[in-house]
Amino acid sequence: MLGAVVAGDDFDFRPGAQVPLSGGAGQTAATNALASAAYRDSPVADIKKADNEWHQSTIKPPKLSLLEPNLGEAFSRAVQVRMLGGARKALIQSFGTEPQSVVEHCLAANRIRKERDAKLTVLMVVFGLVFLPGLLLWLAAFQLRRTLAGAQNRRAGAFGMALLIAFGVLAVVFLVKLPFTGFLAIYLRAMLVAPAIGWLWAKQVCETTAADMRDRWGGLLAGGGVAAKIPEAVPKNPDETAAEQLRQNLAKLTAEQASNLVFYAGPKGILGMGTRWGSWQLAEELLPIDPDKDINPFRSWDIVRAVHDQLKLLERTPLHTGGFPAPKVTHWIVAPVGEGTKEVTRPSGDGTEAFQVKPSEIQRICDQQQFGSGNRHYLGVQFVLWDGQLVITLLVTVTVLHHTLRIEVTGHALGPVHPLFTSKPSPKEEEVAKAFKFWETKKRSLPLVDAKEVVRLSARAPLTWFPPLLDHLGGKLGLPEPFGLRHAWADQPWRHRFMADDALRAATPVLRVVHQAAMRVLKENDVDTERFGTRSTFLSGAVQGAEPTKADVYNA
């Protein structure tokens, strides 16, 4: 039975610098692409383009469209709450990426927005709260325009724009000729002018922040070393409990990323590794070489250990070629979960420590849990290629039932992150005719933040100090569950010819290494390997024409 893990129970969060437990070399492209979403200013609905058939995001519609978040705001908020929240559920490993780096960029983006919102809140108080009736009139006009502009009918959108212009004209007329005199007349004029002055000041604040955000967005995708500054995660004294808690949550995230327990969800495959695209089996009867003697007793773990040692040598080749990079060979424990499950839990108890299943428990599962209910053991060899955009995992499992030894190799491939996350910021500009050579056109730069965006940001600013209220009024992004940064928005690798070739080419040498190691153990224990050798030859020929299939859909 799997149970929830409490941070303080299984992982010792010691003070000081945290060293990531997962290798970060060669994984920057996918990590930076996902992190760039924290700085984007596109509509939140764009995230639906990145969803795949297995993992769907949900968007809670706003009660007031004027308070609706953009993609960067919604993504940063959702990722921070989901991955660092005190009562968060277990996460799926993000192979090929560094989830802590993505989360840190979300925190950094939220910090930049918080600094901007602090300035906008002051402006709202000075130019809005003091002149509240005028502010409410302006906000009502922009809300009405936004509502009508969002309608499917184009005429309704044009009517909303005309209505806003008409409101401005009436405000000017109202200022010129008032039926009141004295202080009331001055206040009535000021309540219409002050919000507009505050808007001009707020526009400068929003422009500066937008330029900074877009620079970070573009810098991440260009491969630059854009740092995520989160000083709030570094406690300066023992009394800073919030900073200490944040530091511990980041350390817990890194430790969970290094867990050796994964989850199999039916046709979805192993969560985080991608669907199973190929499967090859070698199954024969265990017979002694000498009919008058029995074979030497051995266990599944003996074969697995021999295969493990041989897989470590995959990068060696007799020729001076590029060949395989250094593989990551890991003993995985696979827990079955339902296809439609929305929550997984990490194991706890004597057999686990710091999200890791202990070696003694791994060996026990490998030897004993081969049939019926319970978790299963797989030996995996994993290649992280294309700067983290392609993750190839080949899993080996060994079972012995009665007199039959079965060795199975399955291939899993996780493709690149969706192109939505790799799109760079495009300059905001428009084509206009030249003044004199009107038959020619030129590009004119537009402000990064238009009028309605300044109003939206200013209206949201005071409410950002009360996130639950802002989520209720403005809507929010719901992440696909069970959530893992990498597999939630991954494309199929088969759309990319070279990535597909890499996945298919990896199967044959791994399969042969597995068979060679197994044959050696069998011979050492006086097992007749003639049938195994014949079967291995047939299988070696079959794997030459490896083609991706939906191996987890058994009627495919």
Side-chain angles (χ1 to χ4, degrees):
M1 186 70 181
L2 297 176
V5 172
V6 180
D9 293 340
D10 288 333
F11 193 83
D12 184 11
F13 298 102
R14 300 184 183 278
Q18 298 298 323
V19 180
L21 300 180
S22 59
Q27 300 182 14
T28 56
T31 301
N32 289 351
L34 291 169
S36 72
Y39 302 104
R40 293 173 183 261
D41 52 19
S42 50
V44 67
D46 285 358
I47 196 69
K48 300 296 290 183
K49 301 176 184 177
D51 292 340
N52 53 51
E53 60 177 316
W54 300 118
H55 307 94
Q56 299 290 323
S57 305
T58 58
I59 299 176
K60 179 186 175 183
K63 296 186 181 299
L64 290 174
S65 59
L66 192 61
L67 301 177
E68 183 179 16
N70 61 25
L71 177 58
E73 293 165 344
F75 182 86
S76 299
R77 165 78 175 154
V79 169
Q80 179 181 344
V81 172
R82 178 63 183 85
M83 304 189 78
L84 297 180
R88 72 170 178 83
K89 297 176 285 188
L91 294 165
I92 304 301
Q93 294 96 317
S94 299
F95 301 110
T97 61
E98 296 177 54
Q100 180 174 337
S101 178
V102 178
V103 174
E104 287 173 351
H105 277 286
C106 289
L107 291 171
N110 285 338
R111 180 171 176 269
I112 295 172
R113 295 188 181 102
K114 196 169 184 179
E115 292 174 350
R116 176 201 63 196
D117 292 340
K119 299 175 184 178
L120 293 179
T121 301
V122 173
L123 293 175
M124 286 290 283
V125 171
V126 175
F127 295 96
L129 187 60
V130 177
F131 307 97
L132 186 59
L135 175 66
L136 293 178
L137 286 173
W138 281 107
L139 290 180
F142 271 96
Q143 175 61 54
L144 183 59
R145 176 184 177 274
R146 193 179 183 94
T147 301
L148 293 175
Q152 295 297 323
N153 189 345
R154 290 187 178 181
R155 292 183 179 179
F159 176 72
M161 187 63 176
L163 188 66
L164 185 61
I165 295 174
F167 177 78
V169 173
L170 288 175
V172 173
V173 173
F174 186 67
L175 289 173
V176 172
K177 187 175 182 180
L178 276 173
F180 306 104
T181 58
F183 174 76
L184 184 59
I186 296 174
Y187 180 78
L188 289 176
R189 286 186 171 94
M191 80 175 192
L192 292 176
V193 175
I197 296 175
W199 175 88
L200 290 173
W201 203 335
K203 188 175 188 299
Q204 296 179 6
V205 174
C206 294
E207 279 278 346
T208 302
T209 303
D212 184 19
M213 293 286 219
R214 291 173 76 88
D215 285 344
R216 291 172 177 272
W217 169 8
L220 281 170
L221 296 181
V226 178
K229 299 178 181 179
I230 47 172
E232 62 271 23
V234 183
K236 297 180 177 60
N237 59 71
D239 297 331
E240 294 186 11
T241 55
E244 176 62 19
Q245 183 62 41
L246 178 56
R247 186 191 66 81
Q248 289 187 10
N249 286 340
L250 287 171
K252 177 181 177 182
L253 174 63
T254 302
E256 191 170 6
Q257 167 72 4
S259 174
N260 57 1
L261 178 83
V262 291
F263 303 91
Y264 171 74
K268 291 183 180 180
I270 294 179
L271 299 177
M273 289 186 181
T275 54
R276 186 171 60 154
W277 63 266
S279 178
W280 305 272
Q281 297 88 24
L282 171 66
E284 289 295 344
E285 186 178 6
L286 291 171
L287 296 174
I289 295 178
D290 187 348
D292 297 330
K293 297 181 179 179
D294 291 332
I295 63 175
N296 294 331
F298 65 94
R299 300 168 299 168
S300 300
W301 182 254
D302 296 326
I303 295 180
V304 168
R305 188 172 52 189
V307 172
H308 175 275
D309 295 339
Q310 286 297 111
L311 289 176
K312 287 279 190 179
L313 306 178
L314 272 173
E315 59 183 316
R316 297 186 181 181
T317 174
L319 303 179
H320 296 287
T321 62
F324 282 128
K328 180 182 179 182
V329 184
T330 308
H331 292 278
W332 295 104
I333 298 301
V334 181
V337 295
E339 175 185 351
T341 186
K342 296 298 182 182
E343 180 179 356
V344 296
T345 52
R346 294 286 171 190
S348 60
D350 295 336
T352 61
E353 182 180 3
F355 300 105
Q356 295 278 343
V357 181
K358 293 180 179 179
S360 58
E361 180 66 7
I362 291 175
Q363 185 174 342
R364 186 194 68 79
I365 293 174
C366 175
D367 287 333
Q368 299 178 17
Q369 293 185 198
Q370 300 183 356
F371 201 68
S373 63
N375 301 337
R376 302 290 173 86
H377 167 270
Y378 287 80
L379 176 64
V381 54
Q382 191 173 81
F383 301 98
V384 178
L385 309 172
W386 292 86
D387 207 10
Q389 291 282 43
L390 175 64
V391 181
I392 301 172
T393 309
L394 292 153
L395 299 179
V396 182
T397 182
V398 179
T399 58
V400 179
L401 298 175
H402 193 47
H403 293 286
T404 301
L405 171 68
R406 184 183 187 90
I407 302 172
E408 183 176 7
V409 180
T410 58
H412 303 254
L414 191 67
V417 296
H418 192 274
L420 169 71
F421 296 96
T422 56
S423 59
K424 295 184 177 181
S426 56
K428 291 193 175 183
E429 54 190 16
E430 65 177 356
E431 271 196 6
V432 296
K434 291 183 178 179
F436 297 102
K437 297 181 180 181
F438 56 85
W439 58 89
E440 296 181 2
T441 61
K442 64 178 180 179
K443 289 185 178 181
R444 182 177 65 184
S445 297
L446 298 174
L448 294 177
V449 183
D450 57 18
K452 61 182 181 181
E453 179 67 3
V454 175
V455 173
R456 186 190 72 86
L457 292 173
S458 299
R460 282 176 56 91
L463 294 177
T464 53
W465 308 100
F466 311 98
L469 178 60
L470 188 58
D471 289 344
H472 176 70
L473 296 176
K476 61 180 181 179
L477 172 65
L479 302 174
E481 296 290 349
F483 181 66
L485 277 169
R486 186 68 173 81
H487 76 281
W489 297 295
D491 263 354
Q492 291 290 339
W494 319 119
R495 302 174 185 269
H496 192 297
R497 180 68 267 172
F498 289 171
M499 288 188 183
D501 288 343
D502 286 344
L504 298 177
R505 288 168 181 165
T508 305
V510 170
L511 192 65
R512 287 175 175 165
V513 166
V514 170
H515 289 169
Q516 289 171 3
M519 293 303 103
R520 188 177 73 251
V521 174
L522 294 178
K523 290 178 180 178
E524 290 173 353
N525 290 279
D526 297 332
V527 176
D528 186 359
T529 59
E530 182 178 354
R531 291 186 179 183
F532 284 98
T534 304
R535 173 64 176 163
S536 177
T537 302
F538 289 147
L539 197 56
S540 180
V543 79
Q544 299 288 342
E547 296 177 357
T549 61
K550 294 183 177 180
D552 281 307
V553 181
Y554 289 96
N555 60 352

